Amino acid sequence: MSDAGHHDSRRGSVGSERTPTNADEDTLAKIDQCLRNLGGELEDALAAGIGRCGKYTLLEELGEGGYGEVHVAVQDPPASRRVAIKILKRGLDTRDILRRFALEQSALARIEHPNVATILDAGITDDGRPWFAMPLLEGDPIDVACDDGALRLVDRVLVLAAACDGVQAAHAQGIVHRDLKPSNIIVVTSDEGLPSPKVIDFGIAKAVDATDGVTRTIDLHRLGTPAYMGPEQLAPEQSAPERGSVEREKAEQPRADTRSDVFALGVILAELLAGCRPTTQATADAPPPRNLSRTLLEAAKSEPERMVALARARGGLTIESLARRLHGDLDAIVAKATAFRPDQRYQSADALAADLRRWVASEPITARSAGRVARMASFVRRHQVLVTIVSIAVLSITATTVAALLQASSAQRERARAELQARRSTEVVEALRDVLAGIDPAVARGRDRQLIVELLDATVERQQRDDAQTDAQKDAQVDAVAAAEIAAVLGDAYISVEAPAQALDIVNAALTRLQGAASNASEEIARDFTLARGRLYAVRGDALLRASVLRDAPVSATDLGNEAVASWQEALRAFDEVALPTDRAAIRCKVRLWGRELVWPEGMNHRALGAELAEAVEQLDDREQVKWSFYFRRAELNNFEDLLAEYPPVLERATTALGALHPLILSARARLLGFQCAAAVESCVEQKPGLPVYDQDQLRLIWRRAVMDGRALEADLTAVHGADHRLTLQTRLWTAAAAGYLHGPEAARPLFDALRGDVERVEGVGSVLGGQVEAAWMGAQHGPIAGRWW
């Protein structure tokens, strides 16, 4: 009744006396409720301050993800630029989601790369929701951009390779994207008018939490887009054991790592190339084929119109020509990138990008082992002049050597002529040895090293072919000795370019041939057989030693080392038999055995052998590596104080003789760096005779010098041996350790993170070097006593 009176009085104020009906009451109630709702929304909007984020005014919403909204915004004058702002959704301010949002923000802020969308600004809205601003990318997803632009296969490959560069930049900061797909790679037009990809949306990236150094990804295992997720991401989660147990720690280790992003990049590559994704593998034991060219042809049977248009959009190709382009290398690259097991994929986005660029440059790819003829042809196309010069040098000298040694067969009947030909043969073999040993180490790197290996292979093939064609015309015994001499020289050359397996092949074949021919050898040439056998066993021992260092064999390093010792001892027996204990090869064998603290003959005093060898090596030319190997090893057998006093002057003399980039010098520099760091660490742990005593100022000076020397050495090792060489990685380990002791763990963390990733990529998970990296990281965190891994 009071309500009616209220309405009456209000209506009366405008001259109406009509009593409201039930319909009027319902209408008024609805209007009243709408006004209340509108008022509430207005109050919420005003309270949220949603129209502003810092110095940006929001214009419109672009879209939203699992926990964030993306808006177009404009920055206040004078900049007035348009940006994209991501804001945490209202009501999702739980601790885990706030941490995840913060991880994305910190992830992007840590990456500075032209192929990654970077952070411009960040802040908190008035209602406490975090936000960050990014460049507003005016482009299309990578698949749309490539199709709309009708990009050729080469251009598509280059665009994806650039995207891989952006992903690698994230990986270098310890960040895995985990949701790579075409819509998260936006292609914009660069200032040069070229397509430039930008990786966006690190919303479910895993990253290292800098507050406690642990990876928190338990809640992120299954996040992502299934079509682009690796099998390890799709695997069902295991129930975690009781908190605090060792099993729980193992269960919490993330399944996804950088190789999961490689898988996604491989799927995207397949779509860009063939318009379809690789077949999903059900199990690791029964993988279906991942042949893109075959998949393309099969799709053309069921969808001919779509596939014809698809091929035309890839540079005007037909379906058949597109399939031919995909067959082979591109098939192999996609298959390796999307392999079921992570350890069978490319171990980094950078490795995938490198193979893509090799394909563009018509170079051999690592995804499949190209035949030797294909690799030679590929290299010759790029280095015609160098190939011609070295081919003429090596093959001509080798041909002359063979001819001279063959002519010596007639000298068995004519003694005077035999002596002349023997001298000529020796001179030519020595010339060949000097040519191969004198190759500048700086040239024998990367593809140039491969060139030398290929030319050595060609030399061996040519010799074998000549032997097979003219065996009946030769004196088998003289020819076996000649082949042994050449095999010893070529074996040394193989070892110098770190191809010990090839050295073992040629030396073992020559030994077999020599033993077969020696069964009927006359006394007149028996000495030549024995001497040749000694030289072959000497080279065989060196090849086994190098194989043990490079792990270039399916047996353990210890077994290889034992075989090497046995080969050197067999060589010395041969040299003793022909009374040539001072032959250069004999001296080399004795230095090798002495360096392992073994002696020859057995029972001799090690110190006495060292004194004897010192006199022998002093007579050698300064260009002989064995001379400096002896001096280095002699210094290393001392205590730390004497070693650090004796090693640097020897290194200086050896560098003058051999050159700063000689492999032996690089190895010695790396060992000296290690000795200096190890002595400093040991001095912090305990004081004992023969160990230097350093104060804090001296230690800081040692660490500072180690960082500087390590970086310089790393650059030289990379130039000569490559970034993935074990010695390069070991040098980076010492450098990172020294940086940790000098500047603290947080400053050294990026060095350790990058090194850890490269070691796992090159040597696999759980390698010895990987364990050393972890021990060194413990030392950087907790002090020298925790970081002794040597």
Side-chain angles (χ1 to χ4, degrees), residues 302-590:
S302 57
E303 300 178 272
E305 292 185 4
R306 185 179 81 86
M307 301 310 292
V308 166
L310 183 146
R312 188 177 299 117
R314 281 150 179 76
L317 299 174
T318 64
I319 294 176
E320 292 73 20
S321 61
L322 176 58
R324 286 195 297 271
R325 294 290 304 277
L326 298 180
H327 182 69
D329 285 351
L330 291 176
D331 272 338
I333 291 173
V334 171
K336 183 168 182 176
T338 58
F340 185 92
R341 291 175 47 186
D343 60 352
Q344 294 176 341
R345 299 175 199 154
Y346 293 100
Q347 297 302 290
S348 69
D350 189 50
L352 170 57
D355 246 4
L356 292 174
R357 292 184 172 110
R358 289 188 188 100
W359 179 82
V360 171
S362 300
E363 296 177 359
I365 63 170
T366 63
R368 63 174 186 165
S369 54
R372 188 163 51 78
V373 174
R375 296 198 308 273
M376 277 289 287
S378 176
F379 190 90
V380 168
R381 284 197 299 270
R382 299 188 308 277
H383 300 283
Q384 294 183 10
V385 175
L386 183 60
V387 168
T388 301
I389 293 173
V390 179
S391 297
I392 291 174
V394 175
L395 296 181
S396 296
I397 293 177
T398 303
T400 305
T401 302
V402 173
L405 290 169
L406 290 179
Q407 290 174 10
S409 63
S410 62
Q412 298 299 317
R413 298 181 295 272
E414 301 177 21
R415 188 173 185 82
R417 187 179 178 189
E419 292 177 357
L420 174 62
Q421 295 295 346
R423 285 197 301 272
R424 288 178 179 173
S425 299
T426 301
E427 290 171 359
V428 174
V429 169
E430 288 297 323
L432 175 59
R433 181 182 290 117
D434 289 342
V435 167
L436 295 178
I439 296 172
D440 190 338
V443 176
R445 65 180 185 266
R447 289 290 165 186
D448 294 335
R449 170 193 170 278
Q450 184 64 26
L451 164 65
I452 296 171
V453 172
E454 299 291 357
L455 290 175
L456 289 171
D457 289 345
T459 302
V460 173
E461 277 197 4
R462 176 171 178 169
Q463 180 188 352
Q464 292 172 342
R465 185 171 61 250
D466 290 346
D467 288 346
Q469 292 174 350
T470 60
D471 267 346
Q473 305 172 14
K474 295 181 181 179
D475 183 322
Q477 293 176 342
V478 174
D479 182 54
V481 173
E485 291 284 356
I486 294 175
V489 173
L490 295 177
D492 271 336
Y494 274 122
I495 295 170
S496 71
V497 291
E498 298 199 332
Q502 288 96 316
L504 287 171
D505 287 343
I506 188 174
V507 168
N508 288 335
L511 277 170
T512 300
R513 182 176 183 181
L514 195 67
Q515 291 164 356
S519 58
N520 299 317
S522 63
E523 293 183 5
E524 193 173 359
I525 63 170
R527 185 178 183 279
D528 294 338
F529 270 87
T530 303
L531 184 59
R533 186 177 75 249
R535 288 176 177 163
L536 287 173
Y537 272 112
V539 175
R540 183 175 183 273
D542 289 353
L544 288 165
L545 175 65
R546 197 62 197 150
S548 71
V549 174
L550 297 176
R551 309 297 196 272
D552 191 19
V555 296
S556 71
T558 301
D559 290 339
L560 289 171
N562 292 337
E563 282 191 55
V565 169
S567 289
W568 293 324
Q569 290 174 335
E570 186 65 30
L572 288 172
R573 291 189 189 96
F575 293 131
D576 285 348
E577 187 177 335
V578 296
L580 273 179
T582 58
D583 184 89
R584 180 169 59 179
I587 295 174
R588 184 170 67 184
C589 290
K590 290 182 179 180

Side-chain angles (χ1 to χ4, degrees), residues 474-718:
K474 295 181 181 179
D475 183 322
Q477 293 176 342
V478 174
D479 182 54
V481 173
E485 291 284 356
I486 294 175
V489 173
L490 295 177
D492 271 336
Y494 274 122
I495 295 170
S496 71
V497 291
E498 298 199 332
Q502 288 96 316
L504 287 171
D505 287 343
I506 188 174
V507 168
N508 288 335
L511 277 170
T512 300
R513 182 176 183 181
L514 195 67
Q515 291 164 356
S519 58
N520 299 317
S522 63
E523 293 183 5
E524 193 173 359
I525 63 170
R527 185 178 183 279
D528 294 338
F529 270 87
T530 303
L531 184 59
R533 186 177 75 249
R535 288 176 177 163
L536 287 173
Y537 272 112
V539 175
R540 183 175 183 273
D542 289 353
L544 288 165
L545 175 65
R546 197 62 197 150
S548 71
V549 174
L550 297 176
R551 309 297 196 272
D552 191 19
V555 296
S556 71
T558 301
D559 290 339
L560 289 171
N562 292 337
E563 282 191 55
V565 169
S567 289
W568 293 324
Q569 290 174 335
E570 186 65 30
L572 288 172
R573 291 189 189 96
F575 293 131
D576 285 348
E577 187 177 335
V578 296
L580 273 179
T582 58
D583 184 89
R584 180 169 59 179
I587 295 174
R588 184 170 67 184
C589 290
K590 290 182 179 180
V591 169
R592 299 279 194 262
L593 292 171
W594 175 84
R596 289 173 166 261
E597 301 192 47
L598 301 173
V599 295
W600 186 266
E602 295 178 2
M604 186 176 185
N605 180 274
H606 187 263
R607 185 181 297 274
L609 177 60
E612 179 182 303
L613 286 175
E615 294 182 5
V617 299
E618 190 62 35
Q619 306 305 315
L620 296 176
D621 189 279
D622 279 355
R623 291 172 297 177
E624 290 280 1
Q625 294 185 43
V626 68
K627 180 173 186 174
W628 303 110
S629 295
F630 170 76
Y631 290 143
F632 287 136
R633 184 56 182 158
R634 186 173 66 176
E636 292 170 5
L637 292 176
N638 292 319
N639 59 41
F640 272 119
E641 275 193 310
D642 293 339
L643 185 156
L644 295 178
E646 184 177 337
Y647 211 97
V650 173
L651 177 58
E652 184 177 353
R653 291 174 56 205
T655 303
T656 301
L658 301 178
L661 295 182
H662 193 283
L664 181 63
I665 299 303
L666 294 175
S667 176
R669 288 169 61 189
R671 293 179 69 81
L672 178 58
L673 175 66
F675 290 134
Q676 290 168 334
C677 291
V681 170
E682 294 290 345
S683 72
C684 297
V685 176
E686 60 179 325
Q687 295 298 323
K688 57 185 178 182
L691 190 64
V693 178
Y694 300 119
D695 59 30
Q696 290 302 310
D697 290 338
Q698 289 173 317
L699 284 173
R700 288 189 62 81
L701 180 60
I702 290 172
W703 302 135
R704 186 177 296 111
R705 187 173 299 157
V707 171
M708 295 174 58
D709 292 347
R711 288 172 176 167
L713 177 57
E714 179 191 344
D716 289 343
L717 284 167
T718 301

Side-chain angles (χ1 to χ4, degrees), residues 167-180:
V167 174
Q168 180 66 31
H171 291 174
Q173 296 297 327
I175 300 161
V176 182
H177 191 290
R178 296 174 59 88
D179 193 25
L180 287 171

